[in-house]
Amino acid sequence: MGGIERPLSVDNMPYLNIIGLAAAALCLFSSLGAAYKEKPSIFTFTPDSGGFQLGGPSLAPEIRVSQNDAPGVLRAARDLAADFGKVLGINGTVVVADWSSTIAQKTTSKPIILIGTIGQSSLIDGLVFSNKLDTSAVAKKWETFTYQVIPSPWEGLPNIFAIAGSDSRGTVFGIYDISERIGVSPLHFWADVAPIKRTYIAATSQIHSEGPPSVKYRGIFLNDEAPALTGWGGANFKRSQYNSPFVSDFYKLIFDLVLRLKGNYVWPAMWSSMFYLDDPKNGPMATEYGIFMGTSHHEPMARADKEQGRFLRGSWDWRSNKAGVQSFMQEGATRSKNWTTIYTLGMRGSGDAASATLSSSALEEIIAWQQTTLRNALGKPLSEIPQAWVMYKEVPGYWQAGMKVSDDVTLLWSDDNRGNIRRVPIGNEEKRSGGSGMYYHFDYVGDPRNYKWINTIQLTKTWEQMTLTYDSGIRNIWIVNVGDLKALELPTVHFMAMAWDRGSFGGMDSTTEWLKVWSGRQFGESVGQAAAEIMTTYGKLVARHKYEDLSRTPFAFHATNYDEAELNYQEWADLVEKAQKVYDGLPAAVQDSFFEIVLHPVLAGKTVFEIYTKVALASRYNTEKRISTNQLAKDVQAAFQADQTITKRFHSLRSGKWNHFMDQTHLGYNNWQEPASNTIPRPSTLTAASSNALLGVSAQGNTAAYPGSARLALLPVSKFDSVNRYIDIFARGDGRFSYDITANVSYVNVTNRRGSLSSPSGPTDIRSVLGVDWASAPAGSSTALLTVTNTNSTSQSATVVVPLENPFVPADFKGHVESDRTLSIEAEHFNPAASSKDYTIIPHYGRTLSGVRLPPRTPSQQPGKGPVLVYPFYSFTNIADATVTVYLAPSENANPQSPNRYSVAVDGGSLSTVQVVALTNGSNQPQGWSDAVIRGAYVKSSKVGRIAPGKHELKVYLLEPTMVVTKIVIDLGGVKSSLLGPPESLIV
């Protein structure tokens, strides 16, 4: 970076990887639970594996569907026939047939697949009535399916294969489950995942069944769709009379994906569109596919926001224009009465804003009128009409103030737009017949800043929050804002997989295992593990800061303390190298999908971080008068050009198939709204480079540099450091010089002790890492001196003072050890013998290592009582009033009656209890929320009294199950400002 020559080795990297050592030292308890549990496939792909053959060279199945089955089943059957073709090279054939004509056929040259819905298909019912197919475990359930080989289905035929669904969507899900298992990804269109080529497909004798789903209604919201999705749609579909590109040909692609992901619910694009009016085919087509259509939180009664401006008579105000609003809503119910719809109830102000005239009593009146209107228009009891009131933004405040609505209404709770659940059901809310739902976000426009460019979602965070959601009884609706959809394929698939079968994600590490299995399907089993590791690391890096937030000043990652900015960027650079290596080894047919889902976000993300990181480092380097400041400035401009090149590369994929999807601006935010164009800050440049005093020296963690300061102080070097200490030698101008480093004691050594630096050619910076022979060093505190000399001009000589700490720790102590008046502890590194077994560890969670939490249904705890985390530590500093800082996920008070709190105490001393998140009236975000979601953590501190040198024990009590602790820092007078906190202390 910026000309520094330092290979990635222990000798030259400032931080040592001590996690493995820590785990070995403490034999750490890890309550990971079971891994991801996917139902095994009954399909085999080699001739010697036996089973009933469904396809092979020049052989594909004949797929039979009953005439009286739902139209969506016939459509999906045709997809299955085509999917066999994608895999085998020869399509299956679809035949519409009845039971009588089917059993009359005694021989066939093709394997037969019967598909149908129980009670609607004469084919499936015929198998049931003849006792060839037992559907008792499936029938009359919601969206459930089974498939199996049927031996001797009728006279003359040895085997057939049957797919039976409890309802039409269950049948469709069974069809698409087979498509995926034989090798056609749900992302075959949206991420260009290549089908797996087969020469043989057979089914074993096992019965495969799935359902009912964990969540009844599961879907996606296309939102914030300009410029990317709108631009792409306009280039690929004929615009409607209202100038929207989101017509039926577009929604066919959306519905195909949703159904293949076993979903059933869609909120359509709405910024400049009107789903039911942009194409008259849209509404009936959704019903034919089996998709429930909804509308967003501020579009009640199946009418789009943009319809208000065109067709509403009068203002969108219940108080002043009740008749006009009622007429408008009535038309929505009447228009959609024959289509599968989940009706959004309630009302907000015009244009997704809070209303200045609505009150709790007015909303009660509105919802009661809406329910009466729906009951009359649809001719059904309310219990048979899916309806939801979206508890979003200010709306929960009405409910919290005591508002009442019918139990038939699903209370659709929401997150805070940044992935943190605002509310879960409490008390009698869990008993409501309409149940509860969750509206979640992978994309957002609004305060503190938009995030709508590419994927910034940590999957383990989604798992943690949606596990809290499900375990809290929210199981009727899950819908997620996926923005443009493209670039958010991975978190979308993960979300939908959890909604379909939450039971498969029971273990703390289940998402990591799911990601490995899923990646193997998309890119090949040989790279499944590597791809999962890449995207897991990616999730950690984006959890630290979203791209749009990076332009805030000062730069979030400290340019000096803990080498934070430099090390964070190095993680990005390492990740790009790993992802590129995997990409380069893939078959050409797989590279596009890997690029779209894995390599592109890693490469694009690294480039954005490079821009802002090197701007920050250039400012520091300029202060130190490094000539490499100018190289950093060039690197920033090169990265800005690379950002544009990466965009063009994405847009050129597959002859421009995805053109416009990376049109979103993402550089140069200065408020919540996106900038008109990408801009970058101007990096510092060194305009007055030295022409004679070429030698420059800086010491780690010190803002001063030689020759501005002839005597520099290095951070203390301890026997128990978890990181390396170093000095940098650098050129201050053009020219060449040699240097030499000497120590005044024999037990201190350095790497790169001698060398040459030159500018404009050759290395301009070099890092020299200290080593200490602690067996020879004096016990306790001492000081060594390093002298750095320009051997071409001996008058240029810097002195670096090196404080040495060689303290004693008893051999029987196990735990974290102080260094530089600091103890930093990753939350999962508690003492398992002394800690409660109630806590669970979420691997790969948060910004550094993992998270620790109580199970979601744990009752509220009292300070100092209940489950405890115990952290042994050893200190050398005597401090009158130490500070304990706890780093927690930016979780909300999901239970407003029990705010997130924790307690800490040292050595049985006085207990300090901290409320992490302030209570609110339900309408607004709590104080401190904006900072917390930007930096990805709440960081809270409290005083714990005197800590003397010696053994100690820190106890941490989480008092609510709605919070996750990730890191704890004990400040003995040495903690410095940073985003992520000090690196973890050494564990002995």
Side-chain angles (χ1 to χ4, degrees), residues 106-153:
K106 305 302 182 184
T107 60
T108 178
S109 60
K110 298 178 180 179
I112 291 178
I113 298 177
L114 298 189
I115 295 177
T117 304
I118 300 166
Q120 297 182 40
S121 166
S122 65
L123 301 176
I124 296 302
D125 292 348
L127 289 173
V128 173
F129 295 150
S130 59
N131 294 318
K132 298 297 182 179
L133 176 64
D134 182 2
T135 60
S136 59
V138 176
K140 299 181 181 180
K141 293 183 178 179
W142 178 265
E143 297 180 348
T144 301
F145 65 84
T146 184
Y147 54 73
Q148 65 186 82
V149 175
I150 307 291
S152 304

Side-chain angles (χ1 to χ4, degrees), residues 92-223:
T93 55
V94 177
V95 175
V96 176
D98 59 21
W99 178 247
S100 298
S101 62
T102 294
I103 62 175
Q105 185 174 356
K106 305 302 182 184
T107 60
T108 178
S109 60
K110 298 178 180 179
I112 291 178
I113 298 177
L114 298 189
I115 295 177
T117 304
I118 300 166
Q120 297 182 40
S121 166
S122 65
L123 301 176
I124 296 302
D125 292 348
L127 289 173
V128 173
F129 295 150
S130 59
N131 294 318
K132 298 297 182 179
L133 176 64
D134 182 2
T135 60
S136 59
V138 176
K140 299 181 181 180
K141 293 183 178 179
W142 178 265
E143 297 180 348
T144 301
F145 65 84
T146 184
Y147 54 73
Q148 65 186 82
V149 175
I150 307 291
S152 304
W154 54 81
E155 183 181 353
L157 207 63
N159 292 291
I160 63 163
F161 189 82
I163 307 169
S166 62
D167 50 29
S168 59
R169 273 182 302 277
T171 308
V172 169
F173 294 153
I175 291 170
Y176 286 134
D177 188 77
I178 293 171
S179 289
E180 184 172 11
R181 291 179 185 275
I182 67 174
V184 178
S185 169
L187 295 175
H188 66 98
F189 176 83
W190 285 103
D192 301 311
V193 177
I196 300 172
K197 299 301 182 182
R198 313 283 192 190
T199 58
Y200 185 89
I201 300 174
T204 63
S205 59
Q206 282 80 22
I207 299 172
H208 184 100
S209 300
E210 292 188 37
S214 299
V215 179
K216 187 172 185 179
Y217 301 107
R218 314 160 303 282
I220 63 173
F221 176 23
L222 300 171
N223 191 216

Side-chain angles (χ1 to χ4, degrees), residues 406-419:
S406 163
D407 273 10
D408 297 303
V409 179
T410 299
L411 300 182
L412 186 55
W413 302 103
S414 73
D415 68 349
D416 62 349
N417 302 309
R418 288 263 179 156

